[in-house]
Amino acid sequence: YQQVAKMNREAAAAAAQPAQDAAAAAAGKGSSKDSSKDSKQVATVRAPAADAASTAAAAGSSTPAADHGAAPKSAESGGLTLEPAASAADIPTPEYGTVAWVLNAALLLIGSRAFSNSELKKSMLQSIIIIITANGAKYNEPVLFMRIMLLYQDWLQLPPQLLTVKEAVLLLQRLAYVQDRFDADPATCAKWHCLFLDIVYDICTSSNLAPELSDEVFGKVERLFLLGLRAADPVRRARFFSLYHKHIPAGLFDRLHFIICVQEWQSMSGSFWLKSALDLILAVLKEDDPIMLAPNSAQAPPLLPGTRTNVFNPSAQQAQQQHAAQQQHQQQQQQQQQQQQQQ
């Protein structure tokens, strides 16, 4: 980190030198006192800009990859607009010289280069997990968490032998813990949540990634934390509900077994989780079929004369089917006789 900071300071000094020369040349046209003040202000203002430019130049090819996967999304569903997630342009530059600035510059410099060596990759992943899960993680700058998420989005495009399924799921689980410990303003928290949910949804629905990764992320990240069903954005919440509807069998017994015996709802203890459970049951409702009562169920006499009560009776149903089959057979015979007479 000290070497990175030293390189950036040297690059900033070299970039600020032309600005100082231009300010000195302009000083000969005006008063000496005013021109000296202006040159100092120009050098002071342009130095941080040069720092940011040198950091972006040192990042190399990792910055465009981060911008590619995190472009803001916009979609409409039922009159609702999808809230945009955070992108690389939304990440501010930390204050120069701070620990957050050094870590952000180091992440930009390393990028995907850490996966060229197994030992370097191991050290990189361990360092990121420490940044996320350490005791003082909640005091870290939100910039670091967003930068890690954008880098993770780029790493998913790497070959499977460089980033294994186990490593991808483990890192995403650690990032999920940040959801409840994110100490930032509400606007930054909303962008972070949207970015995280979009990445999880893209993994679960992408056809370019390994199916094993999609299943592992849905089972060990989404079902464990229920982040999608707890989303504040109704469009994203509906998206994740469609994932649950797709993964759970459509039978009533299977849905009840999943709700009562399989799924852990502890992550939604702070909200009304029964609504999500009820939606899973109502999603398999057949609206066109009439509601049938069991033959041994308690019944009350109809309020109006001539009202029909739908009671499931297997013998009566079979008799109706046989009667309908006989009528159809008779009609076919009559049609055949008419055709013979015409001939």
Side-chain angles (χ1 to χ4, degrees), residues 79-295:
L80 300 176
T81 304
L82 186 67
E83 296 181 5
S87 61
D90 298 329
I91 301 180
T93 303
E95 185 179 355
Y96 178 81
T98 60
V99 177
W101 182 88
V102 174
L103 292 175
N104 185 52
L107 291 173
L108 281 173
L109 280 173
I110 297 173
S112 300
R113 301 180 181 91
F115 293 86
S116 59
N117 187 301
S118 59
E119 293 296 330
L120 186 59
K121 181 185 74 170
K122 182 179 179 181
S123 301
M124 177 72 171
L125 295 178
Q126 288 179 350
S127 301
I128 289 178
I129 290 176
I130 291 174
I131 294 174
I132 297 172
T133 61
N135 293 331
K138 64 180 180 180
Y139 301 108
N140 289 335
E141 291 287 340
V143 176
L144 298 178
F145 297 121
M146 290 188 178
R147 179 65 62 190
I148 292 172
M149 283 299 306
L150 293 177
L151 288 176
Y152 179 84
Q153 199 171 28
D154 293 338
W155 295 342
L156 291 174
Q157 308 303 324
L158 295 174
Q161 60 270 19
L162 296 182
L163 183 66
T164 63
V165 174
K166 182 178 179 181
E167 293 170 344
V169 174
L170 178 63
L171 185 56
L172 199 60
Q173 283 180 339
R174 297 298 182 269
L175 287 169
Y177 282 108
V178 181
Q179 297 279 334
D180 299 328
R181 301 189 302 171
F182 203 68
D183 189 10
D185 58 285
T188 305
C189 290
K191 290 182 178 179
W192 157 262
H193 293 159
C194 293
L195 176 61
F196 184 86
L197 291 177
D198 287 347
I199 291 177
V200 174
Y201 181 80
D202 291 341
I203 293 174
C204 294
T205 57
S206 177
S207 58
N208 299 326
L209 300 177
E212 182 183 359
L213 177 60
S214 302
D215 296 338
E216 289 289 320
V217 169
F218 180 77
K220 296 184 178 180
V221 179
E222 169 54 30
R223 279 188 51 195
L224 180 62
F225 298 96
L226 297 172
L227 299 174
L229 295 181
R230 290 191 292 152
D233 185 8
V235 178
R236 287 185 171 84
R237 191 166 60 247
R239 282 182 170 184
F240 278 90
F241 179 81
S242 64
L243 285 180
Y244 283 88
H245 182 64
K246 177 182 177 182
H247 282 77
I248 307 172
L252 180 59
F253 174 79
D254 297 323
R255 293 293 172 107
L256 291 174
H257 182 263
F258 175 83
I259 294 170
I260 299 173
C261 302
V262 178
Q263 179 61 41
E264 292 287 343
W265 301 95
Q266 184 64 29
S267 300
M268 293 187 68
S269 59
S271 59
F272 191 61
W273 66 273
L274 286 176
K275 177 185 178 300
S276 300
L278 184 60
D279 289 341
L280 289 174
I281 297 176
L282 296 179
V284 297
L285 178 65
K286 297 181 180 179
E287 300 180 357
D288 298 334
D289 296 344
I291 299 176
M292 306 295 291
L293 299 177

